[in-house]
Each structure stands twice: as C-alpha cells, then as structure tokens.
C-alpha cells in the first residue's frame, strides 16, 4: 500500500474482493486499526506531499498531497460509532485506505502532469516517509 520498504501497511476490503466498507491500517509501532464504514469528516493542519504506493499496483510510487490531520467517523468492532483523529503518517495511511472504499486511488490525488515512477526509481530517491 504505502511505503517503499514494506509489503503494505493497510488494506481495504474491496482490494481483496470483499464488498464491505472496511479497512485495516497498521501503524509503524505495529498496532492494527480496524475501520468499519469510515468517513473523513474533517481534515486540517499542514499538507505535505509524499510518495505512496499501493498493493493494487505495487510496481510504482507517486507523490500525493495529503493533510497532516484527519478526523474519521467510523464504527468499532463492537458496533460503537466514534470519531478518531489521525495525524501525520497514520493520517496518510488511513486516508489512502478510506479512498479505496470510495473507488479512489492515490493516483487520483496526484498533481496534474505528475506521473507515478517505477519502484526502482523511487528507491533511488532515498526518500522515506516521515511520521
């Protein structure tokens, strides 16, 4: 899904053929966050542009602008509705997976005229995510 150094840090149900609004995001410290029916209800803070990848087409990376802070309304595993605030890299991960639930890919967010680059070229940039 996201960084160039891992095999994925999140997955959305539609990516594996499950027609449900569910996603799982793994934080850098290994915590798995499960989101059911998630909706970004607010975004803010600064915006930065970092490379993202995707398990749907894992051989390229693209620079995507995203907000540093998002507020996500979602249902928990026990059926409660709550709002969770995600920041920085985890906000990027969550936004990426929530996008999948709405049929959007990271390439849809890239600036006009900018194309994804091969993963080999991305690795050559020496740029990794900043959490």
């Amino acid at each position: 899904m996201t960084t160039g150094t891992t095999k994925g840090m999140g997955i959305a149900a539609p990516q594996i053929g499950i027609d449900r609004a569910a996603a799982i995001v793994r934080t850098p410290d290994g915590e798995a966050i499960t989101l059911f029916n998630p909706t970004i209800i607010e975004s803010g803070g600064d915006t930065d542009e970092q490379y993202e990848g995707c398990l749907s087409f894992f051989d390229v990376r693209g620079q995507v602008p995203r907000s540093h802070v998002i507020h996500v309304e979602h249902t928990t595993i026990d059926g409660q509705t709550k709002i969770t605030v995600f920041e920085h890299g985890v906000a990027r991960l969550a936004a990426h997976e929530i996008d999948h639930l709405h049929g959007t890919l990271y390439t849809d967010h890239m600036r006009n005229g900018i194309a994804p680059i091969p993963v080999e070229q991305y690795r050559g940039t020496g740029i990794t995510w900043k959490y």
Side-chain angles (χ1 to χ4, degrees), residues 48-92:
D48 70 357
E49 194 168 338
Q50 294 193 49
Y51 281 100
E52 291 186 22
C54 187
L55 293 174
S56 295
F57 46 100
F58 56 86
D59 56 344
V60 295
R61 302 289 182 268
Q63 287 192 310
V64 179
R66 293 206 191 259
S67 294
H68 284 197
V69 179
I70 61 171
H71 298 240
V72 178
E73 184 175 57
H74 61 97
T75 305
T76 64
I77 194 97
D78 60 2
Q80 301 297 310
T81 300
K82 69 183 276 188
I83 296 172
T84 303
V85 178
F86 296 105
E87 297 181 343
H88 303 286
V90 181
R92 179 175 292 276

Side-chain angles (χ1 to χ4, degrees), residues 3 14 19 33-34 43 68 77 83 94 97-98 109 112 121 124:
T3 72
D19 188 23
I33 301 168
T34 303
S43 59
H68 284 197
I77 194 97
I83 296 172
E97 297 309 330
I98 292 168
H109 292 289
N112 288 334
Q121 184 180 346

